[in-house]
Amino acid sequence: MIPAERQQFILSCLAERDIVSIADLVDRLGVSHMTVRRDIQVLEDAGRVTSVTGGVRLSRRLAQELPHLQKAAINTDAKRAVGQAAADLVRDGMVIYLDAGTTLLELARQIAGRRGLTVVTNDFVICAWLSTHSDCTLYHSGGLVERANQSCVGGAASEALARFNYDIAFISTSSWTVAGLSSPSEAKGPVKRVAVDRARRAVLVSDSTKYGAVAAMNILPVSVFDTVVTDAGIDAEAADALREMGVQVILAPDLKGERA
């Protein structure tokens, strides 16, 4: 078989089963382990599949993101742990960008006591919380209001964010793979891209449940990030792939059962 035929065969196998092992594909295709891995990488780069330990599965499709209130009630322990781990990167006097999202709200809660911070965000909830719980210098981007996620997106927001030079840009996502971040909303792309472009260090902050989901619009390749902060639920092969790309991987400790 030529590569395209092998890749279509892999997709056909996954249409029948949720996960197919690499060993099974090697046996059924009659090719080497390395050849199967190369074919999987092509499919993964295209957002069709996601690698798991010892095998591969179809990527989950994200048609639309949940509204803020629903997101806030999901995976709360993991989000709190990831937010705390990301907050450890923040030092007094920094200029940071906090992208919209409930995990970054947890980060914001952890940095309220830092001295001399300048925080820029497009998230209304983060802005409101910091305005009453911190003395940081605080900017909101403004722009097109996305009501469900309580944030601003689009060209006007990205133009405002481009005025700053960030020590760290903390970026959120509801869907990502080792190939990159995606979103159902095209308007989110310019905001995330400009924040990364203007930052000395770009950090992706996402709990592991978001990994393996793919949405319609490609936003950013994972390779633009210096660091990914996630939790131990991330697949070991995905974490290894990130490290091979030169991306630092920080795994948050398990805080399940603890309460702040």
Side-chain angles (χ1 to χ4, degrees), residues 3 6 9 33 96 99-100 105 131 158 168 187 191 200 209 225:
R6 291 196 305 270
F9 180 82
H33 187 278
I96 65 171
D99 203 14
L105 175 59
S131 69
S158 61
I168 306 178
V191 172
R200 293 172 57 192
T209 63
F225 292 96

Side-chain angles (χ1 to χ4, degrees), residues 1-256:
M1 291 185 186
I2 64 173
E5 290 174 324
R6 291 196 305 270
Q7 291 153 25
Q8 188 57 52
F9 180 82
I10 292 170
L11 292 174
S12 297
C13 290
L14 288 170
E16 300 171 0
R17 288 183 284 171
D18 290 338
I19 297 176
V20 178
S21 72
I22 291 174
D24 187 22
L25 291 172
V26 167
D27 183 59
R28 296 176 69 178
L29 287 166
V31 296
S32 69
H33 187 278
M34 187 60 68
T35 296
V36 169
R37 283 200 169 279
R38 281 198 296 265
D39 288 333
I40 289 173
Q41 187 62 59
V42 170
L43 292 170
E44 192 159 27
D45 289 344
R48 306 289 300 278
V49 304
T50 302
S51 292
V52 297
T53 301
V56 64
R57 63 174 169 80
L58 289 174
S59 296
R60 292 176 285 116
R61 287 286 163 182
L62 181 69
Q64 64 180 29
E65 294 184 14
L66 294 173
H68 177 88
L69 287 176
Q70 290 185 37
K71 286 182 180 180
I74 298 173
N75 303 317
T76 54
D77 292 317
K79 289 177 179 179
R80 184 160 53 91
V82 171
Q84 288 181 12
D88 288 342
L89 302 175
V90 179
R91 301 288 179 263
D92 292 350
M94 280 186 167
V95 178
I96 65 171
Y97 170 70
L98 297 182
D99 203 14
T102 52
T103 305
L104 291 187
L105 175 59
E106 294 296 334
L107 188 162
R109 288 170 173 155
Q110 296 300 316
I111 62 172
R114 301 286 200 279
R115 297 177 178 273
L117 284 184
T118 297
V119 178
V120 185
T121 186
N122 66 329
D123 188 296
F124 289 115
V125 181
I126 290 174
C127 190
W129 195 91
L130 287 174
S131 69
T132 56
H133 293 85
S134 79
D135 61 0
C136 68
T137 301
L138 184 61
Y139 292 87
H140 192 282
S141 67
L144 176 65
V145 175
E146 190 174 67
R147 290 179 174 84
N149 285 318
Q150 292 292 291
S151 63
C152 286
V153 295
S158 61
E159 288 174 11
L161 296 179
R163 296 165 52 200
F164 298 88
N165 296 309
Y166 307 103
D167 291 298
I168 306 178
F170 291 98
I171 304 299
S172 64
T173 184
S174 292
S175 49
W176 67 288
T177 69
V178 293
L181 281 61
S182 56
S183 173
S185 170
E186 183 179 8
K188 290 189 175 184
V191 172
K192 296 181 191 293
R193 286 192 290 268
V194 75
V196 167
D197 288 345
R198 300 297 298 175
R200 293 172 57 192
R201 183 178 186 181
V203 178
L204 175 62
V205 182
S206 177
D207 71 80
S208 61
T209 63
K210 313 292 178 53
Y211 181 78
V214 176
M217 306 298 299
N218 289 320
I219 300 297
L220 282 168
V222 169
S223 57
V224 304
F225 292 96
D226 303 282
T227 304
V228 170
V229 184
T230 186
D231 59 80
I234 192 75
D235 184 79
E237 289 197 3
D240 288 342
L242 291 169
R243 295 184 183 103
E244 289 174 7
M245 294 164 58
V247 179
Q248 178 190 24
V249 179
I250 297 176
L251 299 180
D254 185 4
L255 300 184
K256 190 174 183 180

